[in-house]
Amino acid sequence: MTPEELGAARDRIVPDVIAGGLRVLFCGINPSLTTGATGHHFAHPGNRFWPVLHQSGFTPRQLRPAEQAELLRHGLGITNVVARATARADELSAEEFREGGGALAAKAELWQPQWLAVVGITAYRTAFGRRTARIGPQDHTVGGARVWALPNPSGLNAHWTVRTMAEEFARLRSAVEQDIDVTG
């Protein structure tokens, strides 16, 4: 992909992969320029979302970003807190995150996923005003969906390895499969 193609992707909106009644609606922070250019979520080569999704047991094989529509067969979908593509998440304002949180609540109410899984704890905290939130199940719902905050799968997140992220995603998968309320 050329620098010109990536530059042209700035501020593009990438359509959600969504349907009614999903088991889990994964919610990224916002699309990368690679995602904006390709139209496929988590498309940057350094992003670990697809390997982690498979290694945690959500998919029977590792899907490629271009195969994102296959998620629907597994009761999974993808959206973003902020819809527009940027080179880095720090290009987004706190106001954009808060507005995105409101839009996400409306989306969850409309589509009624069982779980909303936000990948990126800082984005989750800002979007929903939960300053002390930690990775894991949350004590509130968004648009009627239970909420789980997951680590950001970006290759820039050095605090989490593929293995440790897959373990956390697997905790969510276990809760989904058991259909349990882990919030207490």
Side-chain angles (χ1 to χ4, degrees):
M1 192 159 307
T2 68
E4 292 77 21
E5 290 170 317
L6 289 175
R10 183 171 299 281
D11 296 326
R12 275 196 192 147
I13 308 297
V14 177
D16 294 336
V17 176
I18 198 165
L22 295 171
R23 294 185 310 143
V24 181
L25 179 58
F26 289 96
C27 180
I29 297 169
N30 77 303
S32 69
L33 293 181
T34 305
T35 290
T38 64
H40 303 125
H41 293 274
F42 300 105
H44 190 280
N47 195 293
R48 301 170 290 177
F49 177 80
W50 299 102
V52 167
L53 199 65
H54 170 62
Q55 290 181 30
S56 64
F58 273 110
T59 59
R61 66 179 178 82
Q62 185 174 320
L63 300 175
R64 295 183 322 273
E67 298 174 302
Q68 65 188 14
E70 289 189 32
L71 290 175
L72 297 174
R73 286 192 234 158
H74 302 289
L76 308 172
I78 303 176
T79 189
N80 288 286
V81 176
V82 177
R84 72 182 183 94
T86 62
R88 297 180 322 275
D90 66 4
E91 296 175 39
L92 304 170
S93 70
E95 182 60 28
E96 284 180 284
F97 280 110
R98 287 188 293 274
E99 288 174 4
L104 194 52
K107 201 174 288 189
E109 192 170 325
L110 174 66
W111 293 102
Q112 300 183 348
Q114 182 182 355
W115 286 89
L116 178 65
V118 181
V119 294
I121 190 67
T122 302
Y124 170 74
R125 288 173 179 155
T126 306
F128 298 103
R130 302 282 176 154
R131 292 188 336 238
T132 60
R134 297 187 181 277
I135 295 292
Q138 303 303 303
D139 63 358
H140 71 109
T141 61
V142 171
R146 289 176 275 182
V147 180
W148 199 289
L150 291 167
N152 181 353
S154 166
L156 299 175
N157 181 359
H159 299 291
W160 291 80
T161 66
V162 168
R163 182 185 59 76
T164 57
M165 279 189 281
E167 289 169 357
E168 186 61 32
F169 276 58
R171 286 182 58 219
L172 167 60
R173 183 184 50 76
S174 178
V176 170
E177 289 177 354
Q178 296 176 32
D179 194 29
I180 57 173
D181 183 356
V182 294
T183 62

